[in-house]
Amino acid sequence: MIMPVHNALPYLDAAVESILSQTFSDFEFVILDDASTDGSTQRLHHWASRDARIRLLHEDRNLGPARSSERVARAASAPIVARMDADDISFPQRLADQLAVLDRYPAVGVVGGLFDIIDANGRIVRGPELWRVRQPASVPPFGNGPLTYRREVFDQVGGYREECEFWEDNDLILRMAAVTKIMVLPYSVYQVRQAGISNRLSSEQQRVERAVDLMYRARTRLDQGLTYDDLLRSSLKDDRKVSPQVFVSLGSIVLWAGGRPRLFKRLLSRGELGFDRRSLTALVWTAWGTVEPRSLRAFIRLLLLGRKLRTRLVMRIDGPVLWPMLRSHRPIPALSSQPGRTRKAFDAAYAVEPAEALSPTSRRTLK
């Protein structure tokens, strides 16, 4: 288990406790303190003194999201690595469920899961959304938080790339999908917190906008059947106009945190606007969010409900789902996604020995 940390208070304790309380408990928890200045360092030392599974690493200068992710990932030595973000929550059964999938399917190199979105107070503002597994191959259905992978796959694709800062998780998962099978647990294993300490909100605004714009440019390339590596090497002007989608993406963090995304004027000055659907959508979204965010949230929830109902009509899910779904239009039956699953029922469904790949003993014997 790995987790980079930079100024994660007041949510850090809940994140750490959610990992230490996993039903599967035989693992090492590698945490990188990425030059925190808000008291996170002291809290991490407190937790490390209480639980011997924690191994702390420290950086004197802030590496940023991509480099800190790479640093802590390289420090892990187990053959299976699970990721955690410092302001989020992992449900108690997360590791057990994901490891069981890897146990049963040796050809699967990555396991993710659906997730809730919670606000700063821990209130669920959006539940698990199954439609995510039907997204195109350019849009992973999960990010860093619910990610668990075989270390050999991570090494094969070269790990996190600094050029993809602020979307390094998407880039990593996309490259992993090119070399291995990815499965998604069709229920919430994780809670993603939308709050003011998000890297995308706490970092320099224009830098984040350029990075998210690059992500959308990369997605466009993939949808066209092309690669995007050349985009990472190209030198674009720092003051260039960016995709209107950038402002919806960044505004969504504020919106679901319960705030008012005031990005309409920013869109007008920085957005690459045209007479097209994405420009119109961004103009309406940012104006609406600036004036009346509560009704915008209600409208989006209504749209998501329609998407959820359509997904239920076309998909019958009894277990982990392959992503991208083009690889298989039929989900592999292995695990009930009904609420109220017990550990005993889960193990019986898989009929495998308990996973040991995260244990310190396995790390010493499996190199």
Side-chain angles (χ1 to χ4, degrees), residues 47-78:
W47 282 107
S49 69
R50 291 181 52 182
D51 198 304
R53 291 175 294 178
I54 295 177
R55 175 160 62 99
L56 284 182
L57 307 174
H58 296 278
E59 286 292 336
D60 295 328
R61 298 181 62 181
N62 180 242
L63 299 177
R67 292 172 61 199
S68 64
S69 293
E70 176 72 2
R71 168 82 166 87
V72 72
R74 293 296 177 186
S77 55

mmCIF file of all heavy atoms in Angstrom, residues 47-78:
data_model
loop_
_atom_site.group_PDB
_atom_site.id
_atom_site.type_symbol
_atom_site.label_atom_id
_atom_site.label_comp_id
_atom_site.label_asym_id
_atom_site.label_seq_id
_atom_site.Cartn_x
_atom_site.Cartn_y
_atom_site.Cartn_z
ATOM 1 N N TRP A 47 1.182 8.268 13.674
ATOM 2 C CA TRP A 47 0.644 7.001 13.201
ATOM 3 C C TRP A 47 1.737 5.938 13.076
ATOM 4 O O TRP A 47 1.522 4.770 13.413
ATOM 5 C CB TRP A 47 -0.053 7.194 11.853
ATOM 6 C CG TRP A 47 -1.410 7.797 11.970
ATOM 7 C CD1 TRP A 47 -1.782 9.071 11.639
ATOM 8 C CD2 TRP A 47 -2.594 7.155 12.459
ATOM 9 N NE1 TRP A 47 -3.122 9.262 11.886
ATOM 10 C CE2 TRP A 47 -3.642 8.100 12.388
ATOM 11 C CE3 TRP A 47 -2.867 5.884 12.950
ATOM 12 C CZ2 TRP A 47 -4.942 7.809 12.792
ATOM 13 C CZ3 TRP A 47 -4.161 5.584 13.343
ATOM 14 C CH2 TRP A 47 -5.184 6.539 13.265
ATOM 15 N N ALA A 48 2.920 6.339 12.620
ATOM 16 C CA ALA A 48 4.022 5.381 12.466
ATOM 17 C C ALA A 48 4.451 4.811 13.811
ATOM 18 O O ALA A 48 4.864 3.648 13.897
ATOM 19 C CB ALA A 48 5.201 6.046 11.773
ATOM 20 N N SER A 49 4.353 5.613 14.856
ATOM 21 C CA SER A 49 4.719 5.127 16.188
ATOM 22 C C SER A 49 3.700 4.144 16.741
ATOM 23 O O SER A 49 4.014 3.352 17.629
ATOM 24 C CB SER A 49 4.861 6.309 17.156
ATOM 25 O OG SER A 49 3.597 6.913 17.419
ATOM 26 N N ARG A 50 2.494 4.155 16.175
ATOM 27 C CA ARG A 50 1.423 3.276 16.655
ATOM 28 C C ARG A 50 1.310 1.982 15.865
ATOM 29 O O ARG A 50 0.757 0.994 16.360
ATOM 30 C CB ARG A 50 0.072 4.006 16.587
ATOM 31 C CG ARG A 50 -0.052 5.141 17.577
ATOM 32 C CD ARG A 50 -1.421 5.791 17.465
ATOM 33 N NE ARG A 50 -2.504 4.811 17.561
ATOM 34 C CZ ARG A 50 -3.794 5.136 17.461
ATOM 35 N NH1 ARG A 50 -4.157 6.378 17.240
ATOM 36 N NH2 ARG A 50 -4.721 4.189 17.562
ATOM 37 N N ASP A 51 1.801 1.969 14.623
ATOM 38 C CA ASP A 51 1.599 0.791 13.769
ATOM 39 C C ASP A 51 2.878 0.500 12.997
ATOM 40 O O ASP A 51 3.338 1.316 12.187
ATOM 41 C CB ASP A 51 0.443 1.033 12.796
ATOM 42 C CG ASP A 51 -0.097 -0.262 12.210
ATOM 43 O OD1 ASP A 51 0.713 -1.017 11.618
ATOM 44 O OD2 ASP A 51 -1.304 -0.526 12.318
ATOM 45 N N ALA A 52 3.445 -0.671 13.241
ATOM 46 C CA ALA A 52 4.735 -1.041 12.641
ATOM 47 C C ALA A 52 4.630 -1.298 11.143
ATOM 48 O O ALA A 52 5.663 -1.394 10.456
ATOM 49 C CB ALA A 52 5.290 -2.281 13.338
ATOM 50 N N ARG A 53 3.430 -1.387 10.610
ATOM 51 C CA ARG A 53 3.285 -1.603 9.171
ATOM 52 C C ARG A 53 3.618 -0.352 8.366
ATOM 53 O O ARG A 53 3.821 -0.430 7.154
ATOM 54 C CB ARG A 53 1.853 -2.051 8.846
ATOM 55 C CG ARG A 53 1.509 -3.436 9.347
ATOM 56 C CD ARG A 53 0.045 -3.757 9.104
ATOM 57 N NE ARG A 53 -0.840 -2.907 9.889
ATOM 58 C CZ ARG A 53 -2.174 -2.951 9.830
ATOM 59 N NH1 ARG A 53 -2.753 -3.804 9.004
ATOM 60 N NH2 ARG A 53 -2.917 -2.160 10.585
ATOM 61 N N ILE A 54 3.664 0.794 9.013
ATOM 62 C CA ILE A 54 3.913 2.052 8.316
ATOM 63 C C ILE A 54 5.417 2.286 8.159
ATOM 64 O O ILE A 54 6.173 2.196 9.125
ATOM 65 C CB ILE A 54 3.280 3.236 9.073
ATOM 66 C CG1 ILE A 54 1.755 3.099 9.068
ATOM 67 C CG2 ILE A 54 3.698 4.566 8.436
ATOM 68 C CD1 ILE A 54 1.046 4.186 9.854
ATOM 69 N N ARG A 55 5.833 2.589 6.925
ATOM 70 C CA ARG A 55 7.211 3.006 6.648
ATOM 71 C C ARG A 55 7.160 4.397 6.038
ATOM 72 O O ARG A 55 6.594 4.608 4.971
ATOM 73 C CB ARG A 55 7.897 2.023 5.692
ATOM 74 C CG ARG A 55 9.300 2.472 5.255
ATOM 75 C CD ARG A 55 10.125 1.299 4.725
ATOM 76 N NE ARG A 55 9.553 0.670 3.557
ATOM 77 C CZ ARG A 55 9.953 0.914 2.292
ATOM 78 N NH1 ARG A 55 10.900 1.811 2.065
ATOM 79 N NH2 ARG A 55 9.417 0.264 1.284
ATOM 80 N N LEU A 56 7.756 5.368 6.737
ATOM 81 C CA LEU A 56 7.702 6.761 6.319
ATOM 82 C C LEU A 56 8.914 7.147 5.472
ATOM 83 O O LEU A 56 10.045 6.794 5.798
ATOM 84 C CB LEU A 56 7.643 7.690 7.535
ATOM 85 C CG LEU A 56 6.318 7.798 8.286
ATOM 86 C CD1 LEU A 56 6.440 8.800 9.421
ATOM 87 C CD2 LEU A 56 5.191 8.197 7.343
ATOM 88 N N LEU A 57 8.641 7.882 4.412
ATOM 89 C CA LEU A 57 9.677 8.509 3.602
ATOM 90 C C LEU A 57 9.445 10.021 3.643
ATOM 91 O O LEU A 57 8.310 10.476 3.792
ATOM 92 C CB LEU A 57 9.599 8.029 2.153
ATOM 93 C CG LEU A 57 9.593 6.515 1.914
ATOM 94 C CD1 LEU A 57 9.363 6.224 0.438
ATOM 95 C CD2 LEU A 57 10.884 5.889 2.383
ATOM 96 N N HIS A 58 10.514 10.795 3.499
ATOM 97 C CA HIS A 58 10.390 12.250 3.592
ATOM 98 C C HIS A 58 11.097 12.930 2.431
ATOM 99 O O HIS A 58 12.165 12.490 2.002
ATOM 100 C CB HIS A 58 10.979 12.762 4.914
ATOM 101 C CG HIS A 58 10.261 12.274 6.130
ATOM 102 N ND1 HIS A 58 9.102 12.856 6.595
ATOM 103 C CD2 HIS A 58 10.536 11.252 6.969
ATOM 104 C CE1 HIS A 58 8.699 12.216 7.682
ATOM 105 N NE2 HIS A 58 9.549 11.228 7.921
ATOM 106 N N GLU A 59 10.505 14.000 1.954
ATOM 107 C CA GLU A 59 11.133 14.874 0.964
ATOM 108 C C GLU A 59 11.203 16.280 1.541
ATOM 109 O O GLU A 59 10.214 16.783 2.085
ATOM 110 C CB GLU A 59 10.335 14.892 -0.341
ATOM 111 C CG GLU A 59 10.460 13.635 -1.179
ATOM 112 C CD GLU A 59 11.854 13.449 -1.763
ATOM 113 O OE1 GLU A 59 12.586 14.453 -1.916
ATOM 114 O OE2 GLU A 59 12.211 12.291 -2.068
ATOM 115 N N ASP A 60 12.364 16.917 1.432
ATOM 116 C CA ASP A 60 12.522 18.277 1.948
ATOM 117 C C ASP A 60 11.946 19.327 1.000
ATOM 118 O O ASP A 60 11.537 20.405 1.438
ATOM 119 C CB ASP A 60 14.010 18.585 2.185
ATOM 120 C CG ASP A 60 14.608 17.709 3.275
ATOM 121 O OD1 ASP A 60 13.860 17.347 4.216
ATOM 122 O OD2 ASP A 60 15.808 17.376 3.194
ATOM 123 N N ARG A 61 11.915 19.004 -0.306
ATOM 124 C CA ARG A 61 11.340 19.908 -1.298
ATOM 125 C C ARG A 61 10.165 19.216 -1.982
ATOM 126 O O ARG A 61 10.248 18.037 -2.339
ATOM 127 C CB ARG A 61 12.392 20.310 -2.337
ATOM 128 C CG ARG A 61 13.575 21.065 -1.753
ATOM 129 C CD ARG A 61 14.570 21.462 -2.826
ATOM 130 N NE ARG A 61 13.962 22.366 -3.797
ATOM 131 C CZ ARG A 61 14.612 22.853 -4.861
ATOM 132 N NH1 ARG A 61 15.867 22.476 -5.113
ATOM 133 N NH2 ARG A 61 14.001 23.682 -5.696
ATOM 134 N N ASN A 62 9.105 19.974 -2.176
ATOM 135 C CA ASN A 62 7.886 19.407 -2.742
ATOM 136 C C ASN A 62 8.108 18.908 -4.172
ATOM 137 O O ASN A 62 8.585 19.643 -5.031
ATOM 138 C CB ASN A 62 6.773 20.450 -2.726
ATOM 139 C CG ASN A 62 5.473 19.931 -3.307
ATOM 140 O OD1 ASN A 62 4.990 20.437 -4.306
ATOM 141 N ND2 ASN A 62 4.912 18.910 -2.698
ATOM 142 N N LEU A 63 7.770 17.635 -4.403
ATOM 143 C CA LEU A 63 7.943 17.027 -5.724
ATOM 144 C C LEU A 63 6.763 17.287 -6.648
ATOM 145 O O LEU A 63 6.902 17.209 -7.869
ATOM 146 C CB LEU A 63 8.146 15.518 -5.575
ATOM 147 C CG LEU A 63 9.366 15.050 -4.777
ATOM 148 C CD1 LEU A 63 9.368 13.527 -4.662
ATOM 149 C CD2 LEU A 63 10.652 15.535 -5.427
ATOM 150 N N GLY A 64 5.596 17.519 -6.078
ATOM 151 C CA GLY A 64 4.390 17.643 -6.886
ATOM 152 C C GLY A 64 3.707 16.298 -7.050
ATOM 153 O O GLY A 64 4.265 15.243 -6.711
ATOM 154 N N PRO A 65 2.487 16.288 -7.590
ATOM 155 C CA PRO A 65 1.693 15.048 -7.633
ATOM 156 C C PRO A 65 2.298 13.917 -8.450
ATOM 157 O O PRO A 65 2.270 12.759 -8.026
ATOM 158 C CB PRO A 65 0.351 15.509 -8.212
ATOM 159 C CG PRO A 65 0.632 16.810 -8.874
ATOM 160 C CD PRO A 65 1.739 17.442 -8.106
ATOM 161 N N ALA A 66 2.853 14.206 -9.623
ATOM 162 C CA ALA A 66 3.378 13.136 -10.480
ATOM 163 C C ALA A 66 4.675 12.551 -9.928
ATOM 164 O O ALA A 66 4.830 11.334 -9.810
ATOM 165 C CB ALA A 66 3.587 13.647 -11.898
ATOM 166 N N ARG A 67 5.619 13.409 -9.577
ATOM 167 C CA ARG A 67 6.910 12.922 -9.083
ATOM 168 C C ARG A 67 6.784 12.258 -7.719
ATOM 169 O O ARG A 67 7.478 11.273 -7.432
ATOM 170 C CB ARG A 67 7.909 14.072 -9.029
ATOM 171 C CG ARG A 67 8.317 14.590 -10.401
ATOM 172 C CD ARG A 67 9.152 15.856 -10.303
ATOM 173 N NE ARG A 67 10.397 15.603 -9.567
ATOM 174 C CZ ARG A 67 11.131 16.555 -9.016
ATOM 175 N NH1 ARG A 67 10.720 17.821 -9.065
ATOM 176 N NH2 ARG A 67 12.255 16.261 -8.396
ATOM 177 N N SER A 68 5.902 12.757 -6.858
ATOM 178 C CA SER A 68 5.716 12.106 -5.556
ATOM 179 C C SER A 68 5.053 10.745 -5.720
ATOM 180 O O SER A 68 5.374 9.789 -4.999
ATOM 181 C CB SER A 68 4.887 12.992 -4.618
ATOM 182 O OG SER A 68 3.574 13.180 -5.110
ATOM 183 N N SER A 69 4.137 10.630 -6.679
ATOM 184 C CA SER A 69 3.512 9.332 -6.956
ATOM 185 C C SER A 69 4.555 8.331 -7.430
ATOM 186 O O SER A 69 4.555 7.165 -7.017
ATOM 187 C CB SER A 69 2.410 9.484 -8.010
ATOM 188 O OG SER A 69 1.329 10.244 -7.518
ATOM 189 N N GLU A 70 5.445 8.780 -8.307
ATOM 190 C CA GLU A 70 6.508 7.908 -8.812
ATOM 191 C C GLU A 70 7.472 7.526 -7.687
ATOM 192 O O GLU A 70 7.887 6.371 -7.573
ATOM 193 C CB GLU A 70 7.254 8.615 -9.940
ATOM 194 C CG GLU A 70 8.442 7.858 -10.501
ATOM 195 C CD GLU A 70 8.056 6.646 -11.335
ATOM 196 O OE1 GLU A 70 6.845 6.397 -11.528
ATOM 197 O OE2 GLU A 70 8.979 5.941 -11.795
ATOM 198 N N ARG A 71 7.820 8.489 -6.860
ATOM 199 C CA ARG A 71 8.772 8.238 -5.765
ATOM 200 C C ARG A 71 8.254 7.180 -4.806
ATOM 201 O O ARG A 71 8.966 6.226 -4.465
ATOM 202 C CB ARG A 71 9.027 9.556 -5.022
ATOM 203 C CG ARG A 71 9.764 9.423 -3.700
ATOM 204 C CD ARG A 71 11.250 9.316 -3.895
ATOM 205 N NE ARG A 71 11.948 9.507 -2.644
ATOM 206 C CZ ARG A 71 12.213 8.550 -1.758
ATOM 207 N NH1 ARG A 71 11.842 7.303 -2.005
ATOM 208 N NH2 ARG A 71 12.867 8.817 -0.647
ATOM 209 N N VAL A 72 7.032 7.307 -4.374
ATOM 210 C CA VAL A 72 6.506 6.355 -3.393
ATOM 211 C C VAL A 72 6.217 5.005 -4.048
ATOM 212 O O VAL A 72 6.381 3.949 -3.424
ATOM 213 C CB VAL A 72 5.260 6.930 -2.689
ATOM 214 C CG1 VAL A 72 4.043 6.967 -3.607
ATOM 215 C CG2 VAL A 72 4.942 6.160 -1.409
ATOM 216 N N ALA A 73 5.814 5.014 -5.323
ATOM 217 C CA ALA A 73 5.554 3.748 -6.021
ATOM 218 C C ALA A 73 6.843 2.945 -6.182
ATOM 219 O O ALA A 73 6.842 1.717 -6.046
ATOM 220 C CB ALA A 73 4.923 4.013 -7.382
ATOM 221 N N ARG A 74 7.955 3.615 -6.465
ATOM 222 C CA ARG A 74 9.236 2.922 -6.619
ATOM 223 C C ARG A 74 9.745 2.389 -5.284
ATOM 224 O O ARG A 74 10.519 1.418 -5.260
ATOM 225 C CB ARG A 74 10.275 3.867 -7.222
ATOM 226 C CG ARG A 74 9.993 4.280 -8.653
ATOM 227 C CD ARG A 74 10.034 3.109 -9.603
ATOM 228 N NE ARG A 74 9.701 3.499 -10.971
ATOM 229 C CZ ARG A 74 9.547 2.644 -11.973
ATOM 230 N NH1 ARG A 74 9.687 1.342 -11.755
ATOM 231 N NH2 ARG A 74 9.228 3.075 -13.191
ATOM 232 N N ALA A 75 9.306 2.993 -4.193
ATOM 233 C CA ALA A 75 9.757 2.538 -2.876
ATOM 234 C C ALA A 75 9.074 1.246 -2.449
ATOM 235 O O ALA A 75 9.575 0.536 -1.570
ATOM 236 C CB ALA A 75 9.504 3.619 -1.835
ATOM 237 N N ALA A 76 7.936 0.931 -3.053
ATOM 238 C CA ALA A 76 7.232 -0.311 -2.713
ATOM 239 C C ALA A 76 7.984 -1.504 -3.285
ATOM 240 O O ALA A 76 8.495 -1.442 -4.401
ATOM 241 C CB ALA A 76 5.809 -0.272 -3.261
ATOM 242 N N SER A 77 8.042 -2.594 -2.535
ATOM 243 C CA SER A 77 8.790 -3.760 -2.995
ATOM 244 C C SER A 77 7.929 -5.010 -3.130
ATOM 245 O O SER A 77 8.435 -6.059 -3.529
ATOM 246 C CB SER A 77 9.948 -4.054 -2.033
ATOM 247 O OG SER A 77 9.475 -4.201 -0.710
ATOM 248 N N ALA A 78 6.653 -4.919 -2.820
ATOM 249 C CA ALA A 78 5.770 -6.081 -2.959
ATOM 250 C C ALA A 78 5.398 -6.308 -4.421
ATOM 251 O O ALA A 78 5.413 -5.373 -5.228
ATOM 252 C CB ALA A 78 4.499 -5.884 -2.128
#
